[in-house]
Amino acid sequence: MAAPEVWTERMLTALVTGLKGNRWFRLIDKVYRYETLVAAWEKVQSNAGGSGVDGITVNRFQKTCLDGLLVLKEQLQEATYQPKPVKRVWIPKPGSSEKRPLGIPTVRDRIVQTALRRVIEPIFEARFAEHSYGFRPGRGCKDALRRVQHLLDEGCTWIVDADLKSYFDTIPKARLMARVEEHIADGRVLALIRSYLDQGVMDELRYYEAGEDGTPQGSVISPLLANIYLNPLDHLMAENGCEMVRYADDFVILCRSQADAEAALAITELGVSLLTSALIRTIRGVPDRCPSCGSQKLSPERAVHTSDPETTYERPVCDKCGWVGEPVVIEPTRAKRRRKVPDTECVIMSKPFRKYTRPK
């Protein structure tokens, strides 16, 4: 649901009726609006959490929160805000003796990410599939479990259980940003999102630069970005009549027969391959300098898909101000794998969960 202190009546109407060009401009002023930052701070304060690399706790920030929020507002308004590296801690992995990494942004970065999420989340919420339950407002794991139980009661007792291995670490940033750019055209908001994707990591006294792939686990904005990236898979499954229930990177597909489960598994494998394959193509028509600030430091967005798999495009991006140019249509070329892709663990089960292995 859209936050009332962020979204005007006109914007709420546009969410329902649609927007010309299907892209939103001028969102950054909603992010640095003081009321938005205050609401974001209250959310961060209620969640508590540890300190980031700067050592500033929630209680410490509270003592000077008014001044701190004004500083954030000024930095966002003047485009001088830069997020700090994420502090990595290791926490126990449920059901295992292993540990998994968790990133802890600074308090100030969590405030800005929360403000950013409050502004852009309604844009994508209106397009998310009904069977997606993870990290969405008004939804949770109990809702997903209730849906699973309902489908079991309806006779869907053959289950495809899938898990995307190392999903958050393998999301291609360029293609993720292309999905975001389909609906957001504010260059400064896009630059802000990129800055979070490019955050480095501090593990004790060691600093690691961000790689080409992955979103920082533990950040406020990561679950929304992950849902944006998986949304095409959600709709692919729904369009093919598959009863999928997804919570973040874990999902199950409930079917009435073994044959239906086999078909659903094939569609799943196709959908995952479309998510993880990359396209190699040539850049055309990139301008010599940024029309916004005059900078000559322009970079192409690479390996980008449109919603039509037969059409591909790339956009020039200004490294200085975040300006994003109009898409340049590129002739389709052969798809090749260029990066480590997440493994998909799938097993088909029938009630009472007899494991079924498909013949190779």
Side-chain angles (χ1 to χ4, degrees):
M1 184 175 180
E5 70 276 2
V6 176
W7 285 76
T8 64
E9 287 296 327
R10 183 179 178 183
M11 294 172 70
L12 291 171
T13 302
L15 272 180
V16 178
T17 61
L19 196 69
K20 185 177 180 180
N22 206 29
R23 301 175 71 207
W24 290 80
F25 295 81
R26 297 184 61 182
L27 293 172
I28 190 65
D29 59 314
K30 282 64 171 188
V31 177
Y32 64 65
R33 187 178 175 186
Y34 187 71
E35 291 80 3
T36 308
L37 293 174
V38 169
W41 156 241
E42 291 173 350
K43 180 67 174 177
V44 171
Q45 187 180 25
S46 66
N47 290 339
S51 61
V53 294
D54 58 2
I56 298 177
T57 62
V58 171
N59 290 335
R60 181 176 169 185
F61 187 89
Q62 183 182 11
K63 296 177 181 178
T64 57
C65 66
L66 295 179
D67 291 337
L69 294 178
L70 288 173
V71 170
L72 282 177
K73 173 181 170 62
E74 181 180 351
Q75 290 178 344
L76 289 168
Q77 194 168 2
E78 297 179 358
T80 59
Y81 165 83
Q82 288 293 330
K84 293 185 178 296
V86 174
K87 182 172 76 173
R88 176 183 290 167
V89 297
W90 295 86
I91 61 176
K93 197 173 183 178
S96 172
S97 59
E98 299 178 358
K99 292 187 176 182
R100 66 179 182 89
L102 179 68
I104 304 179
T106 64
V107 173
R108 66 194 300 273
D109 289 343
R110 299 204 297 264
I111 292 171
V112 177
Q113 286 189 38
T114 303
L116 175 63
R117 180 169 180 168
R118 292 174 75 89
V119 172
I120 70 173
E121 188 172 51
I123 297 172
F124 297 98
E125 263 297 312
R127 295 166 174 82
F128 284 161
E130 182 65 25
H131 56 250
S132 168
Y133 293 89
F135 308 106
R136 294 181 59 186
R139 290 167 171 251
C141 59
K142 291 184 179 179
D143 300 301
L145 291 173
R146 278 191 285 267
R147 178 59 180 166
V148 169
Q149 186 60 56
H150 172 75
L151 291 170
L152 288 172
D153 294 341
E154 291 288 316
C156 299
T157 55
W158 283 86
I159 303 171
V160 178
D161 185 10
D163 175 43
L164 296 174
K165 289 287 188 179
S166 305
Y167 170 63
F168 286 93
D169 296 330
T170 55
I171 298 177
K173 293 179 184 178
R175 296 181 63 192
L176 169 61
M177 287 305 303
R179 298 245 162 85
V180 175
E181 290 167 15
E182 288 176 3
H183 302 293
I184 294 180
D186 188 319
R188 291 178 59 185
V189 167
L190 294 173
L192 188 57
I193 296 173
R194 286 191 195 91
S195 71
Y196 289 124
L197 292 176
D198 293 335
Q199 276 180 289
V201 174
M202 287 293 297
D203 192 342
E204 294 183 347
L205 297 179
R206 280 186 160 186
Y207 175 76
Y208 300 91
E209 291 186 354
E212 291 186 5
D213 301 332
T215 62
Q217 295 189 49
S219 70
V220 177
I221 200 71
S222 284
L224 173 61
L225 297 177
N227 277 333
I228 292 171
Y229 192 69
L230 279 180
N231 194 45
L233 176 63
D234 294 339
H235 287 286
L236 173 68
M237 303 306 291
E239 289 166 5
N240 283 274
C242 298
E243 293 287 1
M244 184 170 84
V245 179
R246 182 174 68 81
Y247 193 94
D249 56 341
D250 296 316
F251 57 92
V252 293
I253 307 165
L254 294 96
C255 309
R256 294 185 179 275
S257 67
Q258 177 181 334
D260 290 344
E262 290 281 1
L265 178 55
I267 296 171
T268 302
E269 291 172 340
L270 171 64
V272 172
S273 68
L274 292 175
L275 284 174
T276 55
S277 62
L279 292 177
I280 313 297
R281 62 183 63 84
T282 306
I283 309 298
R284 298 179 188 172
V286 177
D288 294 329
R289 62 178 64 246
C290 173
S292 177
C293 68
S295 173
Q296 293 182 326
K297 295 182 178 180
L298 296 181
S299 301
E301 284 289 347
R302 295 172 296 174
V304 176
H305 278 290
T306 63
S307 56
D308 179 4
E310 298 300 320
T311 305
T312 56
Y313 65 87
E314 296 194 13
R315 303 172 188 272
V317 178
C318 179
D319 296 336
K320 183 177 180 181
C321 72
W323 170 85
V324 179
E326 289 298 315
V328 179
V329 176
I330 309 298
E331 292 295 327
T333 55
R334 185 178 178 183
K336 298 181 181 179
R337 293 188 181 275
R338 300 180 58 201
R339 53 172 64 84
K340 179 182 176 183
V341 299
D343 299 322
T344 309
E345 269 192 4
C346 293
V347 62
I348 298 180
M349 300 181 291
S350 66
K351 198 174 183 180
F353 307 114
R354 289 186 292 105
K355 288 191 176 181
Y356 170 82
T357 304
R358 184 173 62 177
K360 294 184 178 179

